[in-house]
Amino acid sequence: MARATGRTRFKARQEVPKEIFTRLYLDEYHSLQRIADLTGFSRNVLTELAREYGIALREGPQDYTPRGTIEREWLVEQYVVRRRTLPDLAQETGMSTANMARWAHTHKIPLRPRGGGSHDIALRVTEQAARTPAILRKALTSTYAWQRLERFAAAASYRTIGEAAQALGINQPTLVIQINRLERDLGKALLERAERGRAMKLSPFGKKVVAVVSTRPCQL
């Protein structure tokens, strides 16, 4: 168990080095949970990384944008798209569930009936996996899986990941993290990274993945 934990932490250091962690958490103000969703590493592993990197984690609403403000875009993503519960979001931001509900009301986001829609994420992912070609099934680990797959397929035609990220309108560390996670979930390399004088190119397995993703209707 300790060995497995050590291996996981080593892999996390490789895929989420200090500069990427700093950019995602401090510069772009993603929550620890959001970074966990992007990278596939648990919040516990990310917490340990933050300690190693000397990055102080936010502890409550006073540490969030500005003075506990909940932005509409974030709340829509977490509550409507990801279908997380209000208590879960309230705990993450260090405020009461009632206060989180008030933010939903302020942003005109309808609340779900109690007990209903928050735990159908796993069901939707499972159903989606059943309809997906076998080559991609291991990648369907969350509701963001198709976003990762489609971004990878779109990035494959560019010379470098940096060029791809700029064209897709996202930052390079996010794209790198998403491709790394796909490779980890699928268990094979998707790309041969660009080197001096040579553009990045798809691995044989990556070509198969792109071909399958390209035949599927857009899931975003």
Side-chain angles (χ1 to χ4, degrees):
M1 184 66 160
R3 225 177 283 145
T5 302
R7 284 196 297 270
T8 301
R9 200 170 297 160
F10 176 75
K11 196 150 191 126
R13 283 192 211 101
Q14 289 184 309
E15 296 188 16
V16 195
K18 184 175 182 178
E19 60 272 20
I20 289 181
F21 197 116
T22 299
R23 182 168 181 174
L24 292 173
Y25 190 73
L26 298 181
D27 298 342
E28 298 180 12
Y29 233 76
H30 289 301
S31 68
L32 209 58
Q33 183 60 55
R34 175 61 172 148
I35 298 173
D37 291 333
L38 284 171
T39 63
F41 295 109
S42 70
R43 288 180 62 169
N44 286 342
V45 169
L46 293 173
T47 298
E48 290 299 319
L49 271 191
R51 287 185 187 137
E52 283 186 32
Y53 295 156
I55 297 172
L57 295 179
R58 297 185 283 268
E59 294 181 355
Q62 70 276 8
D63 291 332
Y64 280 76
T65 57
R67 296 292 180 256
T69 298
I70 299 298
E71 296 178 351
R72 188 178 194 281
E73 182 182 1
W74 180 84
L75 191 53
V76 168
E77 178 187 346
Q78 300 298 319
Y79 184 71
V80 179
V81 178
R82 296 190 57 217
R83 299 188 72 77
R84 293 173 64 192
T85 64
L86 288 180
D88 185 26
L89 298 177
Q91 182 178 23
E92 179 175 322
T93 54
M95 63 176 58
S96 69
T97 301
N99 201 19
M100 186 61 68
R102 279 194 288 273
W103 276 111
H105 177 73
T106 298
H107 293 314
K108 297 180 169 52
I109 299 172
L111 297 182
R112 296 190 297 268
R114 288 190 179 183
S118 63
H119 32 65
D120 61 1
I121 294 176
L123 286 176
R124 284 189 284 123
V125 171
T126 301
E127 290 168 1
Q128 189 181 51
R131 299 192 302 269
T132 298
I135 191 173
L136 302 181
R137 284 178 194 162
K138 289 182 180 178
L140 299 186
T141 54
S142 75
T143 52
Y144 287 105
W146 268 104
Q147 182 190 68
R148 288 191 286 271
L149 285 164
E150 288 172 346
R151 280 183 175 173
F152 160 67
S157 60
Y158 293 91
R159 287 179 50 82
T160 67
I161 288 179
E163 286 181 14
Q166 186 173 12
L168 296 173
I170 58 177
N171 66 66
Q172 184 173 337
T174 298
L175 183 59
V176 169
I177 282 172
Q178 291 189 330
I179 292 174
N180 285 344
R181 175 161 186 186
L182 282 175
E183 290 181 324
R184 191 166 69 252
D185 289 342
L186 292 169
K188 294 184 180 181
L190 296 169
L191 288 173
E192 293 179 22
R193 268 53 171 182
E195 294 180 357
R196 188 172 298 176
R198 180 176 66 78
M200 71 178 182
K201 65 178 183 178
L202 289 167
S203 69
F205 180 70
K207 289 178 182 177
K208 293 178 184 178
V209 170
V210 168
V212 174
V213 172
S214 299
T215 64
R216 301 278 296 176
C218 182
Q219 304 286 321
L220 294 179

